Amino acid sequence: MLDIEPIRRRRIYEDVAERLQQLMLDGTLGEGDALPSERELMEQFKVGRPAIREALLSLQKAGLISIANGERARVARPDPKHFIHELSASVRAYLAQPAGMAHFQNARLHLELALTRHAAREAGPADIARIGDALARNRRDLGDRAAFEASDIAFHYEIVLVAQNPLFNGLHQAVVQWLSQQRKVTLQVAEAKELALAYHERIYDGIAAHDADAAEAAMRAHLEAVETFYWERAPGGLSAAG
């Protein structure tokens, strides 16, 4: 017997949403353009109001249109933060499993190594100054765990910004949120903040000197140390990662 998936019966609103999305993709509807009214859409698509409303809600959830009370829906600018946010519920369920946490740690490692290497090669004086300012704040916050956590995140984010890619910006911010449990665990370790700051100093020195190998090596050592701290204290210990 052939391994063939059965035909899925589509709901009417899905067809409406797909056709409206196609109008956006081919340029018929551009950013900021108002969609026809619900009544006009009903007449054009020959469907009822529930199908139109469900279609609009699905497009709104996807970040493709904005809907304000009393106004027509308008085509919205796609925002990486929006579609990354839509993944959050699934991601958090995935992270609840030790293997899921390990996979995300590994993904973060590869992402930040690449971005750190890029920063060391491409950072201009203004970029290096911003990263240096973030490092200085991190150094000042050493005695305050909450403030240190915030400036720690800011230091890493300044490195991401060198790439000037909104996808990396949104993905990094999402990963920061998704791995919040890791920070809560690791920052309880007595020497964690001092060690993190020492690695930040080395990362900054590598970037400022445009030494990609040194910056990448420092970032790798930093993130691997964070992972070690976490798995030594996570439920189940190091064996939990599988």
Side-chain angles (χ1 to χ4, degrees), residues 6-232:
I7 300 297
R8 186 176 72 89
R9 298 184 63 180
R10 292 165 60 88
R11 300 176 67 181
I12 294 175
Y13 86 87
E14 293 176 314
D15 287 327
V16 174
E18 184 176 298
R19 293 188 191 184
L20 288 173
Q21 185 174 351
Q22 186 57 47
L23 292 174
M24 300 174 200
L25 293 175
D26 66 20
T28 303
L29 289 171
E31 180 186 344
D33 287 348
L35 271 63
S37 68
E38 287 187 2
R39 182 171 295 279
E40 290 171 325
L41 289 172
M42 289 166 57
E43 293 174 354
Q44 291 180 30
F45 286 112
K46 306 301 182 187
V47 299
R49 190 179 298 275
I52 295 299
R53 289 186 170 175
E54 284 191 73
L56 294 179
L57 286 173
S58 70
L59 292 173
Q60 181 185 38
K61 185 176 181 180
L64 297 177
I65 64 172
S66 59
I67 302 176
N69 289 335
E71 298 182 6
R72 292 187 182 184
R74 290 186 177 275
V75 179
R77 177 192 294 272
D79 185 347
K81 293 181 182 178
H82 182 91
F83 56 75
I84 290 172
H85 173 73
E86 288 299 312
L87 297 173
S88 291
S90 297
V91 168
R92 293 188 186 282
Y94 190 72
L95 284 169
Q97 303 300 318
M101 173 64 79
H103 292 159
F104 263 89
Q105 289 172 331
N106 184 256
R108 180 197 179 189
L109 176 67
H110 286 287
L111 176 65
E112 294 220 38
L113 291 184
L115 290 171
T116 299
R117 192 168 192 86
H118 175 83
R121 288 174 170 172
E122 304 295 336
D127 296 315
I128 293 172
R130 286 189 294 98
I131 298 170
D133 288 343
L135 176 62
R137 292 196 301 275
N138 195 221
R139 192 182 300 115
R140 289 196 300 269
D141 293 337
L142 191 59
D144 184 329
R145 190 169 72 182
F148 184 87
E149 178 180 351
S151 56
D152 183 330
I153 292 170
F155 173 77
H156 285 263
Y157 189 58
E158 291 296 344
I159 294 172
V160 175
L161 290 178
V162 177
Q164 298 182 22
N165 186 323
L167 286 173
F168 288 142
N169 299 351
L171 183 57
H172 184 269
Q173 290 174 335
V175 169
V176 164
Q177 294 177 5
W178 294 336
L179 292 180
S180 59
Q181 179 60 29
Q182 175 180 265
R183 290 195 307 279
K184 291 178 181 178
V185 172
T186 57
L187 287 179
Q188 293 177 1
V189 180
E191 66 272 27
K193 296 195 300 297
E194 289 79 1
L195 186 59
L197 179 60
Y199 282 127
H200 290 171
E201 300 273 7
R202 288 171 52 190
I203 294 165
Y204 170 78
D205 288 345
I207 293 173
H210 297 291
D211 187 337
D213 289 339
E216 180 183 353
M219 180 63 81
R220 179 183 292 277
H222 174 32
L223 296 183
E224 288 179 347
V226 169
E227 292 176 17
T228 298
F229 280 142
Y230 176 78
W231 290 113
E232 286 178 346

Side-chain angles (χ1 to χ4, degrees), residues 1-6:
M1 180 179 293
L2 295 177
D3 184 15
I4 299 176
E5 292 186 5

